[in-house]
Amino acid sequence: MPLDTRELFARLIQCEAGGEGEDGMRAVATVIMNRATIDYGEFARVSNGGDVRSIITQPGQFTCMQETVGGSYNRQNVYNMEPTDIHYEIVDWALSGGRLNGVDESLFFKNPFSPKCPTYFPTNVGVFHNRIGDHCFYVPTAKYADT
């Protein structure tokens, strides 16, 4: 049975940021909602007016949405997640307009597996804005507008 958008979103939050605490999970949820509501660039075309599911399932965006990575089975994918109440609470918060201060207009995040965040998101479409837990958050650059 296919997962509804709320369930898929909760699984993605658990998978991408479950070890980052409540603020880390809220930050990732904020990025997803920022992508769904931006009115220009690639994510505006993908979301087609705010479709969160289209943002979540956009190919190549979230490792947790991939069942295989580098030719090997990816055990950490949304289909292996079992979200708890906190994951659903964060999704409901985000879907109802909640946004985490400090993430602002961030459209990108990554875990650099390093204490230092790179200045630019790969391909220079984002510039470093803030770090929450292990994730670095990036706001769009002028180059993003051309995507």
Side-chain angles (χ1 to χ4, degrees), residues 25-75:
M25 292 186 286
R26 287 183 190 277
V28 168
T30 297
V31 166
I32 291 165
M33 295 307 299
N34 286 347
R35 288 181 178 194
T37 57
I38 194 166
D39 62 359
Y40 66 95
E42 172 186 6
F43 299 129
R45 287 189 303 283
V46 169
S47 76
N48 196 29
D51 184 355
V52 174
R53 187 179 192 87
S54 293
I55 292 298
I56 292 171
T57 60
Q58 181 184 4
Q61 295 301 304
F62 302 106
T63 303
C64 286
M65 290 300 296
Q66 301 172 26
E67 289 187 79
T68 60
V69 174
S72 298
Y73 179 67
N74 176 23
R75 286 189 292 264

CSV table of all heavy atoms in Angstrom, one decimal, residues 25-75:
chain,number,residue,atom,x,y,z
A,25,MET,N,15.3,17.9,13.6
A,25,MET,CA,14.2,17.4,12.8
A,25,MET,C,13.3,18.5,12.3
A,25,MET,O,12.8,18.5,11.2
A,25,MET,CB,13.3,16.4,13.6
A,25,MET,CG,14.1,15.1,13.9
A,25,MET,SD,13.2,13.8,14.6
A,25,MET,CE,13.0,14.4,16.3
A,26,ARG,N,13.0,19.5,13.2
A,26,ARG,CA,12.2,20.7,12.8
A,26,ARG,C,13.0,21.5,11.7
A,26,ARG,O,12.3,22.0,10.8
A,26,ARG,CB,11.9,21.6,13.9
A,26,ARG,CG,10.9,21.0,14.9
A,26,ARG,CD,10.5,22.0,16.0
A,26,ARG,NE,9.7,21.3,17.0
A,26,ARG,CZ,8.4,21.2,17.0
A,26,ARG,NH1,7.8,21.6,15.9
A,26,ARG,NH2,7.7,20.6,17.9
A,27,ALA,N,14.3,21.5,11.8
A,27,ALA,CA,15.0,22.2,10.7
A,27,ALA,C,14.9,21.6,9.4
A,27,ALA,O,14.7,22.2,8.4
A,27,ALA,CB,16.5,22.3,11.2
A,28,VAL,N,15.0,20.2,9.3
A,28,VAL,CA,14.9,19.5,8.1
A,28,VAL,C,13.4,19.7,7.5
A,28,VAL,O,13.2,19.9,6.3
A,28,VAL,CB,15.3,18.0,8.2
A,28,VAL,CG1,14.9,17.2,7.0
A,28,VAL,CG2,16.8,17.9,8.5
A,29,ALA,N,12.4,19.6,8.4
A,29,ALA,CA,11.1,19.8,8.0
A,29,ALA,C,10.9,21.2,7.4
A,29,ALA,O,10.1,21.4,6.4
A,29,ALA,CB,10.1,19.6,9.2
A,30,THR,N,11.5,22.2,8.0
A,30,THR,CA,11.4,23.6,7.5
A,30,THR,C,12.0,23.7,6.1
A,30,THR,O,11.4,24.3,5.3
A,30,THR,CB,12.2,24.5,8.5
A,30,THR,OG1,11.5,24.5,9.8
A,30,THR,CG2,12.2,25.9,8.0
A,31,VAL,N,13.1,23.0,5.9
A,31,VAL,CA,13.7,23.0,4.5
A,31,VAL,C,12.8,22.4,3.5
A,31,VAL,O,12.5,23.0,2.4
A,31,VAL,CB,15.1,22.3,4.5
A,31,VAL,CG1,15.5,22.0,3.0
A,31,VAL,CG2,16.1,23.1,5.2
A,32,ILE,N,12.1,21.3,3.8
A,32,ILE,CA,11.2,20.7,2.9
A,32,ILE,C,10.0,21.7,2.6
A,32,ILE,O,9.6,21.8,1.5
A,32,ILE,CB,10.7,19.4,3.5
A,32,ILE,CG1,11.9,18.4,3.5
A,32,ILE,CG2,9.5,18.8,2.7
A,32,ILE,CD1,11.7,17.1,4.3
A,33,MET,N,9.5,22.3,3.7
A,33,MET,CA,8.4,23.2,3.5
A,33,MET,C,8.9,24.5,2.7
A,33,MET,O,8.1,25.0,1.9
A,33,MET,CB,7.8,23.6,4.8
A,33,MET,CG,7.1,22.4,5.5
A,33,MET,SD,5.9,21.5,4.4
A,33,MET,CE,4.7,22.8,4.1
A,34,ASN,N,10.1,24.9,3.0
A,34,ASN,CA,10.6,26.1,2.2
A,34,ASN,C,10.7,25.7,0.7
A,34,ASN,O,10.4,26.6,-0.2
A,34,ASN,CB,12.0,26.5,2.7
A,34,ASN,CG,12.0,27.2,4.0
A,34,ASN,OD1,11.0,27.6,4.5
A,34,ASN,ND2,13.2,27.3,4.6
A,35,ARG,N,11.1,24.5,0.4
A,35,ARG,CA,11.1,24.1,-1.0
A,35,ARG,C,9.7,24.0,-1.6
A,35,ARG,O,9.6,24.4,-2.8
A,35,ARG,CB,11.8,22.7,-1.1
A,35,ARG,CG,13.3,22.7,-0.9
A,35,ARG,CD,13.8,21.3,-1.0
A,35,ARG,NE,15.2,21.2,-0.8
A,35,ARG,CZ,16.0,20.2,-1.2
A,35,ARG,NH1,15.5,19.1,-1.7
A,35,ARG,NH2,17.3,20.2,-1.0
A,36,ALA,N,8.8,23.6,-0.8
A,36,ALA,CA,7.4,23.5,-1.3
A,36,ALA,C,6.7,24.8,-1.5
A,36,ALA,O,5.8,24.9,-2.3
A,36,ALA,CB,6.6,22.6,-0.4
A,37,THR,N,7.2,25.9,-0.9
A,37,THR,CA,6.5,27.2,-0.9
A,37,THR,C,7.3,28.2,-1.7
A,37,THR,O,6.8,29.3,-1.9
A,37,THR,CB,6.2,27.6,0.5
A,37,THR,OG1,7.4,27.7,1.3
A,37,THR,CG2,5.2,26.7,1.1
A,38,ILE,N,8.5,28.0,-2.1
A,38,ILE,CA,9.3,29.0,-2.8
A,38,ILE,C,8.7,29.3,-4.1
A,38,ILE,O,8.1,28.3,-4.8
A,38,ILE,CB,10.8,28.6,-2.9
A,38,ILE,CG1,11.6,29.8,-3.3
A,38,ILE,CG2,11.0,27.4,-3.8
A,38,ILE,CD1,13.1,29.7,-3.2
A,39,ASP,N,8.7,30.5,-4.6
A,39,ASP,CA,8.0,30.8,-5.8
A,39,ASP,C,8.9,31.0,-7.0
A,39,ASP,O,8.5,31.6,-8.0
A,39,ASP,CB,7.1,32.1,-5.6
A,39,ASP,CG,7.9,33.3,-5.2
A,39,ASP,OD1,9.2,33.2,-5.1
A,39,ASP,OD2,7.3,34.4,-5.0
A,40,TYR,N,10.1,30.5,-7.0
A,40,TYR,CA,11.0,30.6,-8.1
A,40,TYR,C,12.0,29.4,-8.1
A,40,TYR,O,12.2,28.8,-7.1
A,40,TYR,CB,11.8,32.0,-8.2
A,40,TYR,CG,12.8,32.2,-7.0
A,40,TYR,CD1,14.1,31.9,-7.2
A,40,TYR,CD2,12.4,32.7,-5.8
A,40,TYR,CE1,15.0,32.0,-6.2
A,40,TYR,CE2,13.3,32.8,-4.8
A,40,TYR,CZ,14.6,32.5,-5.0
A,40,TYR,OH,15.5,32.7,-3.9
A,41,GLY,N,12.6,29.2,-9.3
A,41,GLY,CA,13.7,28.2,-9.4
A,41,GLY,C,13.1,26.8,-9.5
A,41,GLY,O,11.9,26.5,-9.6
A,42,GLU,N,14.0,25.8,-9.4
A,42,GLU,CA,13.7,24.4,-9.6
A,42,GLU,C,12.6,23.9,-8.6
A,42,GLU,O,11.7,23.2,-9.1
A,42,GLU,CB,15.0,23.6,-9.3
A,42,GLU,CG,14.8,22.1,-9.2
A,42,GLU,CD,16.1,21.4,-8.8
A,42,GLU,OE1,17.1,22.0,-8.5
A,42,GLU,OE2,16.0,20.1,-8.8
A,43,PHE,N,12.7,24.3,-7.3
A,43,PHE,CA,11.7,23.7,-6.4
A,43,PHE,C,10.3,24.3,-6.6
A,43,PHE,O,9.3,23.6,-6.4
A,43,PHE,CB,12.2,23.9,-5.0
A,43,PHE,CG,13.5,23.2,-4.7
A,43,PHE,CD1,14.5,23.9,-4.1
A,43,PHE,CD2,13.7,21.9,-5.0
A,43,PHE,CE1,15.7,23.3,-3.8
A,43,PHE,CE2,14.9,21.2,-4.7
A,43,PHE,CZ,15.9,21.9,-4.1
A,44,ALA,N,10.2,25.5,-7.1
A,44,ALA,CA,8.9,26.0,-7.5
A,44,ALA,C,8.3,25.2,-8.6
A,44,ALA,O,7.1,24.9,-8.6
A,44,ALA,CB,9.0,27.5,-7.9
A,45,ARG,N,9.1,24.8,-9.6
A,45,ARG,CA,8.5,24.0,-10.7
A,45,ARG,C,8.2,22.6,-10.2
A,45,ARG,O,7.1,22.1,-10.6
A,45,ARG,CB,9.5,23.9,-11.8
A,45,ARG,CG,9.7,25.2,-12.6
A,45,ARG,CD,10.5,25.1,-13.9
A,45,ARG,NE,11.9,24.6,-13.6
A,45,ARG,CZ,12.9,25.3,-13.1
A,45,ARG,NH1,12.7,26.6,-12.8
A,45,ARG,NH2,14.0,24.8,-12.9
A,46,VAL,N,9.0,22.0,-9.3
A,46,VAL,CA,8.8,20.7,-8.8
A,46,VAL,C,7.5,20.7,-8.0
A,46,VAL,O,6.7,19.8,-8.1
A,46,VAL,CB,10.0,20.2,-8.0
A,46,VAL,CG1,9.6,18.9,-7.3
A,46,VAL,CG2,11.2,19.9,-9.0
A,47,SER,N,7.4,21.6,-7.1
A,47,SER,CA,6.2,21.6,-6.1
A,47,SER,C,4.9,22.0,-6.8
A,47,SER,O,3.9,21.7,-6.3
A,47,SER,CB,6.5,22.6,-4.9
A,47,SER,OG,6.3,23.9,-5.3
A,48,ASN,N,5.0,22.7,-7.9
A,48,ASN,CA,3.8,23.1,-8.7
A,48,ASN,C,2.7,23.7,-7.8
A,48,ASN,O,1.6,23.2,-7.7
A,48,ASN,CB,3.3,21.8,-9.5
A,48,ASN,CG,2.3,22.2,-10.5
A,48,ASN,OD1,2.4,23.3,-11.1
A,48,ASN,ND2,1.4,21.3,-10.8
A,49,GLY,N,3.2,24.7,-7.0
A,49,GLY,CA,2.2,25.4,-6.2
A,49,GLY,C,2.1,24.8,-4.8
A,49,GLY,O,1.1,25.1,-4.1
A,50,GLY,N,3.0,24.1,-4.3
A,50,GLY,CA,3.0,23.7,-2.9
A,50,GLY,C,2.8,22.2,-2.6
A,50,GLY,O,2.5,21.8,-1.5
A,51,ASP,N,3.0,21.3,-3.6
A,51,ASP,CA,2.9,19.9,-3.4
A,51,ASP,C,4.1,19.3,-2.7
A,51,ASP,O,5.2,19.1,-3.3
A,51,ASP,CB,2.7,19.2,-4.8
A,51,ASP,CG,2.5,17.7,-4.7
A,51,ASP,OD1,2.5,17.2,-3.5
A,51,ASP,OD2,2.2,17.1,-5.7
A,52,VAL,N,3.9,19.1,-1.4
A,52,VAL,CA,5.0,18.6,-0.5
A,52,VAL,C,5.5,17.2,-1.0
A,52,VAL,O,6.7,17.0,-1.0
A,52,VAL,CB,4.5,18.6,1.0
A,52,VAL,CG1,5.6,17.9,1.8
A,52,VAL,CG2,4.2,20.0,1.4
A,53,ARG,N,4.6,16.4,-1.4
A,53,ARG,CA,5.0,15.0,-1.8
A,53,ARG,C,5.9,15.1,-3.0
A,53,ARG,O,6.9,14.3,-3.1
A,53,ARG,CB,3.7,14.2,-2.1
A,53,ARG,CG,4.1,12.8,-2.4
A,53,ARG,CD,2.8,11.9,-2.8
A,53,ARG,NE,3.2,10.5,-2.7
A,53,ARG,CZ,3.2,9.8,-1.7
A,53,ARG,NH1,2.8,10.3,-0.5
A,53,ARG,NH2,3.5,8.5,-1.8
A,54,SER,N,5.7,16.0,-3.9
A,54,SER,CA,6.6,16.2,-5.1
A,54,SER,C,8.0,16.6,-4.7
A,54,SER,O,8.9,16.1,-5.3
A,54,SER,CB,6.0,17.2,-6.1
A,54,SER,OG,4.8,16.7,-6.7
A,55,ILE,N,8.0,17.4,-3.7
A,55,ILE,CA,9.3,17.8,-3.1
A,55,ILE,C,10.1,16.6,-2.5
A,55,ILE,O,11.3,16.4,-2.7
A,55,ILE,CB,9.2,19.0,-2.1
A,55,ILE,CG1,8.7,20.2,-2.8
A,55,ILE,CG2,10.5,19.2,-1.3
A,55,ILE,CD1,9.7,20.8,-3.9
A,56,ILE,N,9.3,15.9,-1.7
A,56,ILE,CA,9.9,14.7,-1.0
A,56,ILE,C,10.4,13.6,-2.0
A,56,ILE,O,11.5,13.1,-1.8
A,56,ILE,CB,8.9,14.1,0.0
A,56,ILE,CG1,8.7,15.1,1.2
A,56,ILE,CG2,9.4,12.7,0.5
A,56,ILE,CD1,7.5,14.7,2.1
A,57,THR,N,9.6,13.4,-3.0
A,57,THR,CA,10.0,12.3,-4.0
A,57,THR,C,10.8,12.8,-5.2
A,57,THR,O,11.1,12.0,-6.0
A,57,THR,CB,8.7,11.6,-4.5
A,57,THR,OG1,7.8,12.6,-5.1
A,57,THR,CG2,7.9,11.0,-3.3
A,58,GLN,N,11.2,14.1,-5.2
A,58,GLN,CA,12.0,14.5,-6.3
A,58,GLN,C,13.3,13.7,-6.4
A,58,GLN,O,14.0,13.6,-5.4
A,58,GLN,CB,12.4,16.0,-6.2
A,58,GLN,CG,13.2,16.5,-7.3
A,58,GLN,CD,13.6,18.0,-7.1
A,58,GLN,OE1,13.4,18.6,-6.1
A,58,GLN,NE2,14.3,18.5,-8.1
A,59,PRO,N,13.5,13.1,-7.5
A,59,PRO,CA,14.7,12.2,-7.7
A,59,PRO,C,16.0,12.9,-7.3
A,59,PRO,O,16.2,14.1,-7.7
A,59,PRO,CB,14.7,11.8,-9.1
A,59,PRO,CG,13.3,11.9,-9.5
A,59,PRO,CD,12.7,13.1,-8.8
A,60,GLY,N,16.9,12.2,-6.6
A,60,GLY,CA,18.2,12.7,-6.3
A,60,GLY,C,18.3,13.7,-5.2
A,60,GLY,O,19.4,14.2,-4.9
A,61,GLN,N,17.3,13.9,-4.4
A,61,GLN,CA,17.3,14.9,-3.4
A,61,GLN,C,17.6,14.4,-2.0
A,61,GLN,O,18.3,15.0,-1.2
A,61,GLN,CB,16.0,15.7,-3.3
A,61,GLN,CG,15.7,16.5,-4.6
A,61,GLN,CD,16.8,17.5,-4.9
A,61,GLN,OE1,17.1,18.4,-4.0
A,61,GLN,NE2,17.4,17.4,-6.0
A,62,PHE,N,17.1,13.3,-1.6
A,62,PHE,CA,17.2,12.7,-0.3
A,62,PHE,C,17.7,11.3,-0.4
A,62,PHE,O,17.0,10.4,-0.9
A,62,PHE,CB,15.9,12.8,0.5
A,62,PHE,CG,15.3,14.2,0.6
A,62,PHE,CD1,14.3,14.6,-0.1
A,62,PHE,CD2,15.9,15.1,1.5
A,62,PHE,CE1,13.7,15.8,-0.1
A,62,PHE,CE2,15.4,16.4,1.6
A,62,PHE,CZ,14.3,16.8,0.8
A,63,THR,N,18.9,11.0,0.3
A,63,THR,CA,19.4,9.7,0.3
A,63,THR,C,18.4,8.7,0.9
A,63,THR,O,18.3,7.5,0.4
A,63,THR,CB,20.7,9.6,1.1
A,63,THR,OG1,21.6,10.6,0.5
A,63,THR,CG2,21.4,8.2,1.1
A,64,CYS,N,17.6,9.1,1.8
A,64,CYS,CA,16.7,8.3,2.5
A,64,CYS,C,15.5,7.8,1.6
A,64,CYS,O,14.8,6.9,1.9
A,64,CYS,CB,16.1,8.9,3.7
A,64,CYS,SG,17.3,9.0,5.1
A,65,MET,N,15.4,8.5,0.4
A,65,MET,CA,14.3,8.1,-0.5
A,65,MET,C,14.9,7.1,-1.5
A,65,MET,O,14.1,6.6,-2.3
A,65,MET,CB,13.8,9.3,-1.3
A,65,MET,CG,13.0,10.3,-0.4
A,65,MET,SD,11.5,9.5,0.3
A,65,MET,CE,10.6,9.1,-1.2
A,66,GLN,N,16.1,6.7,-1.4
A,66,GLN,CA,16.7,5.8,-2.3
A,66,GLN,C,16.9,4.4,-1.7
A,66,GLN,O,17.5,4.3,-0.6
A,66,GLN,CB,18.1,6.3,-2.8
A,66,GLN,CG,18.0,7.6,-3.4
A,66,GLN,CD,19.4,8.2,-3.7
A,66,GLN,OE1,20.4,7.5,-3.8
A,66,GLN,NE2,19.5,9.5,-3.8
A,67,GLU,N,16.4,3.4,-2.3
A,67,GLU,CA,16.6,2.0,-1.8
A,67,GLU,C,18.0,1.5,-2.1
A,67,GLU,O,18.4,0.6,-1.4
A,67,GLU,CB,15.5,1.1,-2.4
A,67,GLU,CG,14.1,1.4,-1.8
A,67,GLU,CD,13.1,0.4,-2.2
A,67,GLU,OE1,13.1,-0.7,-1.6
A,67,GLU,OE2,12.3,0.7,-3.1
A,68,THR,N,18.6,2.0,-3.1
A,68,THR,CA,20.0,1.6,-3.4
A,68,THR,C,20.9,2.9,-3.5
A,68,THR,O,20.4,3.9,-4.0
A,68,THR,CB,20.2,0.8,-4.7
A,68,THR,OG1,19.7,1.5,-5.8
A,68,THR,CG2,19.4,-0.5,-4.5
A,69,VAL,N,22.1,2.8,-3.0
A,69,VAL,CA,23.0,3.9,-3.1
A,69,VAL,C,24.4,3.3,-3.6
A,69,VAL,O,24.9,2.4,-2.9
A,69,VAL,CB,23.2,4.7,-1.8
A,69,VAL,CG1,24.3,5.7,-1.9
A,69,VAL,CG2,21.9,5.3,-1.4
A,70,GLY,N,24.9,3.8,-4.7
A,70,GLY,CA,26.2,3.3,-5.1
A,70,GLY,C,26.1,1.8,-5.5
A,70,GLY,O,27.1,1.1,-5.3
A,71,GLY,N,25.0,1.3,-5.9
A,71,GLY,CA,24.8,-0.1,-6.3
A,71,GLY,C,24.6,-1.0,-5.1
A,71,GLY,O,24.4,-2.2,-5.4
A,72,SER,N,24.5,-0.5,-3.9
A,72,SER,CA,24.3,-1.4,-2.8
A,72,SER,C,22.9,-1.0,-2.1
A,72,SER,O,22.5,0.2,-2.2
A,72,SER,CB,25.4,-1.2,-1.7
A,72,SER,OG,26.6,-1.6,-2.2
A,73,TYR,N,22.3,-2.0,-1.4
A,73,TYR,CA,21.1,-1.7,-0.7
A,73,TYR,C,21.3,-0.7,0.4
A,73,TYR,O,22.2,-0.8,1.1
A,73,TYR,CB,20.5,-3.0,-0.1
A,73,TYR,CG,19.3,-2.8,0.6
A,73,TYR,CD1,18.1,-2.5,-0.1
A,73,TYR,CD2,19.2,-3.0,2.0
A,73,TYR,CE1,16.9,-2.3,0.6
A,73,TYR,CE2,18.0,-2.8,2.7
A,73,TYR,CZ,16.9,-2.5,2.0
A,73,TYR,OH,15.7,-2.3,2.7
A,74,ASN,N,20.4,0.3,0.4
A,74,ASN,CA,20.5,1.4,1.4
A,74,ASN,C,19.5,1.0,2.5
A,74,ASN,O,18.3,1.2,2.4
A,74,ASN,CB,20.1,2.7,0.8
A,74,ASN,CG,20.0,3.8,1.8
A,74,ASN,OD1,20.6,3.8,2.9
A,74,ASN,ND2,19.3,4.9,1.5
A,75,ARG,N,20.1,0.5,3.6
A,75,ARG,CA,19.2,0.1,4.8
A,75,ARG,C,18.5,1.3,5.4
A,75,ARG,O,17.5,1.1,6.0
A,75,ARG,CB,20.1,-0.7,5.8
A,75,ARG,CG,20.4,-2.1,5.4
A,75,ARG,CD,21.1,-2.8,6.5
A,75,ARG,NE,22.4,-2.3,6.9
A,75,ARG,CZ,23.5,-2.7,6.5
A,75,ARG,NH1,23.6,-3.8,5.7
A,75,ARG,NH2,24.7,-2.2,6.8
